[in-house]
Amino acid sequence: MIQLHDLQFEPYIDNAAIKQRVAELGAEITQRYAGKQPVFLIVMKGAFMFAAELLQHVNLPCTLHFTKVQSYTGTKGGAIASFEGIPQGLEGKDVIIVEDIIDSGNTIAFLLPHVQVKHPASVTTVALLQKKIHRENNVHADMLAFEIPDVFVVGFGLDYNQLGRNIPAIYAVKEV
Ligand code: IMP
Ligand code: MG
């Protein structure tokens, strides 16, 4: 059990299971993009640990960029609060957006048009987690490590008001 601010969290997906599944995703990307040189667009801060793990299993020449989109406060989503740019030079490139978790899908729905106006050859999304909920915007990860129910989770990059990102496994909030 872990306490962060006022909430308690219990183990949900352990480090070994994450590593195994992420290695599979890396192999899938390696296969799908064989002969190409993809550009990874990593959504900070949450995706930092997932990206670090995933990229070690991508056996291709590739480049990385970081973008920052912030919407969440506490355990609730909301409107996009801050956004730090899309890099130059995506034209004709195969872009892979790397996200920690797809919840409402608002972040990806917000980001996609900003990437598409740069005229990349292709755009796909890879996510560590995706919540199994109904989404009006119909957004979903093209490649996904784990689908989870609608629970609030922390760890492996994900935070609760900025705490918990360093935890090497995924923990779910304990219902009180
Ligand atoms: P969306 O825009 O609603 O899809 O949410 C995406 C962002 O909200 C993610 O990149 C996370 O930063 C944050 N988020 C959504 N669900 C959770 C959660 O369960 N724990 C921690 N952060 C979350
Ligand atoms: Mg995030």
Side-chain angles (χ1 to χ4, degrees):
M1 218 263 301
I2 286 177
Q3 174 103 29
L4 299 172
H5 301 294
D6 57 328
L7 294 180
Q8 295 184 336
F9 294 84
E10 46 197 10
Y12 194 64
I13 307 174
D14 71 27
N15 180 268
I18 297 170
K19 283 197 159 160
Q20 192 193 327
R21 182 68 192 113
V22 172
E24 286 171 12
L25 270 186
E28 190 183 327
I29 292 172
T30 304
Q31 245 185 14
R32 255 170 94 155
Y33 289 84
K36 295 185 171 158
Q37 189 174 301
V39 178
F40 287 89
L41 186 60
I42 300 160
V43 184
M44 299 302 270
K45 301 173 188 170
F48 85 97
M49 200 177 280
F50 172 47
E53 188 66 38
L54 179 70
L55 285 158
Q56 295 176 64
H57 299 280
V58 174
N59 189 13
L60 297 169
C62 60
T63 59
L64 318 183
H65 288 285
F66 299 93
T67 185
K68 191 169 180 183
V69 185
Q70 200 184 344
S71 62
Y72 249 66
T73 357
T75 61
K76 299 271 182 305
I80 304 294
S82 78
F83 171 54
E84 281 168 32
I86 296 291
Q88 299 294 314
L90 295 184
E91 195 177 332
K93 296 283 163 60
D94 294 293
V95 178
I96 304 177
I97 299 174
V98 184
E99 252 284 38
D100 53 354
I101 186 165
I102 297 178
D103 180 12
S104 68
N106 288 342
T107 303
I108 295 287
F110 170 85
L111 211 49
L112 276 175
H114 284 95
V115 175
Q116 262 140 5
V117 295
K118 307 282 186 182
H119 304 291
S122 68
V123 187
T124 56
T125 54
V126 58
L128 175 64
L129 303 166
Q130 178 168 281
K131 290 185 188 173
K132 197 174 182 174
I133 57 171
H134 174 74
R135 287 180 197 87
E136 305 270 320
N137 54 26
N138 203 23
V139 166
H140 58 89
D142 299 301
M143 292 170 280
L144 176 68
F146 299 101
E147 186 170 69
I148 62 168
D150 190 10
V151 290
F152 187 75
V153 292
V154 294
F156 216 81
L158 291 112
D159 72 303
Y160 170 45
N161 281 344
Q162 300 303 327
L163 294 181
R165 295 193 194 276
N166 57 315
I167 300 168
I170 295 175
Y171 281 66
V173 72
K174 205 172 156 185
E175 301 296 338
V176 281

